[in-house]
Amino acid sequence: MSREIGKLIIGCASRSKRPETELFFRPSTGISEISEINNLGARFSNDKVILNNILENSRSMDAAIVYCYFDSAAWPARQMLDIPVTGLAESAMTLAALMGRRFAVLSPNRRYICEMEDAIRVYGRRANAIEYHPVRSIGATEMDGVRWLMEGRLDKLVDAVTPVAHACIDDGADVLIVGCGLLSVLLAVGAGIEEIDGVPVVAPVTAAVKAAEILIDLRRSGMPIKGTQGYWGNS
């Protein structure tokens, strides 16, 4: 099943990439199971494993994409490396701000809402999100998505997303972000949902790949890709 999910992720990421861009999936070994990531302690422990994975593979790649909507270890990796490092949440919100005036984030778990709302503020995107409850749970977890994929019933995921999406649209959202690396891929590639009632549904990995490509271009042209006297400086 993990191999099938990996293929779906690469497939989703490849839809809008440039022909010359090569994508490789590098799973981090030793991290907590999906069912445990609603535990803050487990995610904190995961960050170090993910960071080490990025550092170990950094010489063989032009950019790194952290494949988790919590952007796990993205900031320390960005500080420590000279290559671009992008995360799903930051990239998705940046793209959503270009696509519409107000976005909303669809979360798989109610326990993620506070942290995802904090991320909107940390990334300076509060003005780009809807005023009332910019992050909302769809009531379907990552494990639900895996089970529905195995059963061939991704229509259940669509059924979980649709009413929450409609409520967000009624409250002013003209762009939707699925705040989960796994469920967003299952919805986009598995179920073929790209928009709901004319409102784009952003798959964060698509945004992260395009952000990485832009930063690679800037670096190759000799332009700086991060500030080194502030937060991202490593000296």
Side-chain angles (χ1 to χ4, degrees), residues 82-193:
D82 293 326
I83 63 172
V85 179
T86 64
L88 300 190
E90 184 177 21
S91 301
M93 284 187 261
T94 301
L95 179 60
L98 294 172
M99 298 174 73
R101 293 191 68 250
R102 295 286 187 273
F103 66 77
V105 179
L106 308 181
S107 167
N109 193 314
R110 290 180 61 191
R111 293 182 65 179
Y112 299 164
I113 290 176
C114 289
E115 192 169 352
M116 289 184 176
E117 287 180 341
D118 287 345
I120 293 174
R121 287 187 287 270
V122 167
Y123 288 132
R125 293 297 178 185
R126 189 61 189 90
N128 300 115
I130 60 174
E131 292 288 339
Y132 180 70
H133 292 329
V135 182
R136 304 184 188 187
S137 172
I138 63 172
T141 68
E142 298 93 334
M143 296 309 298
D144 289 329
V146 171
R147 186 176 70 256
W148 293 334
L149 174 64
M150 295 175 65
E151 295 173 351
R153 292 301 310 274
L154 287 178
D155 57 297
K156 291 185 177 181
L157 176 59
V158 177
D159 290 342
V161 167
T162 301
V164 183
H166 284 156
C168 291
I169 293 168
D170 289 343
D171 286 334
D174 54 5
V175 182
L176 299 169
I177 299 170
V178 181
C180 174
L182 175 58
L183 294 186
S184 61
V185 167
L186 296 182
L187 191 68
V189 178
I193 302 299

Side-chain angles (χ1 to χ4, degrees), residues 47-98:
D47 282 3
K48 186 174 182 180
V49 177
I50 294 169
L51 176 61
N52 287 336
N53 187 11
I54 296 171
L55 297 179
E56 289 171 3
N57 288 281
S58 61
R59 292 188 178 182
S60 63
M61 55 193 180
D62 296 309
I65 297 171
V66 179
Y67 201 81
C68 175
Y69 194 79
F70 292 111
D71 289 356
S72 304
W75 283 19
R78 188 177 296 170
Q79 182 188 52
M80 297 172 72
L81 296 173
D82 293 326
I83 63 172
V85 179
T86 64
L88 300 190
E90 184 177 21
S91 301
M93 284 187 261
T94 301
L95 179 60
L98 294 172

